[in-house]
Amino acid sequence: MTPRHDPLLKSFASDNYAGVHPEILEAIAAANGGHQIAYGDDVYTAELREVFARHFGEGAQAYPVFNGTAANVVSLRAMTAQWEAVVCAETAHINTDEGGAPEVVGGIKLLTVPTPDGKLTPELIDRQAWGFGDVHRAQPKVVSISNTTELGTVYTPGEIAAICAHAHDLGLLVHLDGSRLTNAAAALDVPMRALTTDAGVDVVSFGGTKIGMLYGEAVVVLNPEAAPGVEYIRKTFMQLSSKMRFVSAQFVALLSGDLWLRNARNANAMGRRLAEAVGGLPRVELTRPVEANAVFAVLPADAADRLRKRFRFYTWNEATGEVRWMCAYDTTEADVDEFAAAVAEETA
């Protein structure tokens, strides 16, 4: 079949734009043929549970879902009662980029906090963690953080441990949106459990799509008391895949060896390379620290418009003209160099 697009074309809009890693395509093909029990009672999903337990601890329970919004909404709904709320950064994906799904589908009140870098702290949490016992206020129950954050910053194990300790002291649970958890772990050179299980996180939304999978994310329950009924909520929210073996086989391929780490390290390295290449240009201002695979910058609006005709990317802040450039697992040095040259040309 003739491709309907240029298979060599790369952009810097999102790591979701990347195709499927060849090793994962091979895993999907290997899982095909013959019959397997549906709805998760297959051999691939059984292996998936073992793989997640190796990364997050023996008590970890993984529940595959179709996408990241679902992983977040299923997680948070399982962690909260109807009268309870979630404290999160104002920039959190659950607040800005999920079409209101936590509120509309999950019926979950979000209590947002402005942050300078996308990261919560115990002090910032306290701005919304109040009113306990007040019947007029939605009751804070969960603190949700993202790692990496939506601003490309990375929480360290110590920062997450401090958040978890403070939240638990208040009687709150902690959810981690890990759509780019692999990038965070690779950036810090630590195992993923150091940023989750060992730090005290209760539930993780684990991302696979941005790091090389075709589709599929997972709700990973680290504290079973934190998310009662999650398996029923997954079904109620239309996220129980009948042919789950094809989601699970991807996770097995991604996490059994070092594929996740190789992919994340490359994406992060290309983010750093891009920042170094454009950071010295006189009309380009890097606006945020580059800690993983996201680069934020401000450049003249006319230059950004011309550049978009050559490479796709998004404006992050319309008011300031800040743009976001994302590197993916398949971004190459040549891709970065070509894009950086175009940035230099258009801003000259």
Side-chain angles (χ1 to χ4, degrees):
M1 182 177 179
T2 303
R4 288 178 170 80
H5 73 287
D6 180 357
L8 300 179
L9 179 67
K10 301 287 182 66
S11 78
F12 290 82
S14 172
D15 34 10
N16 278 322
Y17 278 38
V20 184
H21 193 281
E23 292 179 36
I24 291 178
L25 280 177
E26 290 174 7
I28 294 171
N32 199 24
H35 288 201
Q36 276 284 301
I37 304 172
Y39 299 108
D41 290 326
D42 58 271
V43 296
Y44 300 94
T45 304
E47 187 174 358
L48 167 142
R49 298 186 185 104
E50 296 174 2
V51 169
F52 271 95
R54 290 201 296 272
H55 282 283
F56 293 95
E58 288 302 318
Q61 295 292 322
Y63 301 88
V65 295
F66 290 111
N67 56 49
T69 297
N72 285 333
V73 175
V74 170
S75 295
L76 296 174
R77 180 70 282 163
M79 299 173 77
T80 55
Q82 292 290 341
W83 58 89
E84 292 174 334
V86 174
V87 179
C88 64
E90 204 170 62
T91 51
H93 201 274
I94 57 175
N95 182 52
T96 62
D97 288 286
E98 294 186 340
E103 297 95 337
V104 175
V105 178
I108 302 163
K109 173 66 175 177
L110 300 180
L111 303 173
T112 64
V113 182
T115 71
D117 56 2
K119 295 163 71 171
L120 289 178
T121 64
E123 294 74 22
L124 289 174
I125 289 167
D126 285 343
R127 295 188 183 183
Q128 288 287 14
W130 55 272
F132 298 103
D134 182 354
V135 72
H136 299 286
R137 177 170 166 79
Q139 295 294 286
K141 183 60 181 179
V142 175
V143 173
S144 181
I145 62 176
S146 302
N147 205 17
T148 63
T149 73
E150 291 74 14
L151 300 183
T153 49
V154 176
Y155 284 97
T156 66
E159 288 172 328
I160 297 175
I163 287 171
C164 291
H166 186 67
H168 293 159
D169 284 346
L170 294 173
L172 308 180
L173 301 169
V174 178
H175 163 261
L176 188 145
D177 181 343
S179 67
R180 295 186 178 95
L181 179 59
T182 53
N183 296 93
L188 296 172
D189 196 23
V190 298
M192 288 186 284
R193 67 171 294 153
L195 297 168
T196 54
T197 313
D198 296 345
V201 172
D202 296 291
V203 179
V204 176
S205 298
F206 184 82
T209 309
K210 291 179 172 67
I211 203 66
M213 284 176 44
L214 172 63
Y215 75 100
E217 319 286 300
V219 175
V220 186
V221 178
L222 306 177
N223 172 11
E225 296 180 0
V230 64
E231 63 270 36
Y232 300 104
I233 293 170
R234 177 176 62 167
K235 175 63 175 180
T236 302
F237 283 18
M238 300 168 284
Q239 289 296 314
L240 182 64
S241 173
S242 59
K243 295 186 179 181
M244 196 181 295
R245 61 169 149 159
F246 297 108
V247 183
S248 299
Q250 295 179 73
F251 275 120
V252 171
L254 182 70
L255 297 174
S256 289
D258 68 347
L259 179 58
W260 69 274
L261 186 57
R262 285 185 277 129
N263 286 356
R265 281 177 172 168
N266 182 74
N268 292 353
M270 294 305 101
R272 293 191 300 271
R273 185 181 183 91
L274 176 58
E276 292 167 1
V278 302
L281 297 177
R283 301 182 72 198
V284 176
E285 177 191 358
L286 297 184
T287 53
R288 305 184 190 277
V290 179
E291 298 181 356
N293 63 324
V295 178
F296 290 83
V298 170
L299 62 159
D302 58 337
D305 290 341
R306 290 192 301 271
L307 191 58
R308 277 196 193 86
K309 294 178 181 178
R310 301 167 66 176
F311 298 88
R312 283 189 63 90
F313 59 89
Y314 294 115
T315 296
W316 183 260
N317 187 326
E318 293 286 352
T320 64
E322 184 180 34
V323 300
R324 186 192 72 169
W325 297 322
M326 296 296 301
C327 295
Y329 82 87
D330 64 347
T331 304
T332 67
E333 292 183 355
D335 296 330
V336 170
D337 295 347
E338 181 184 4
F339 181 65
V343 175
E345 181 180 332
E346 298 298 350
T347 59

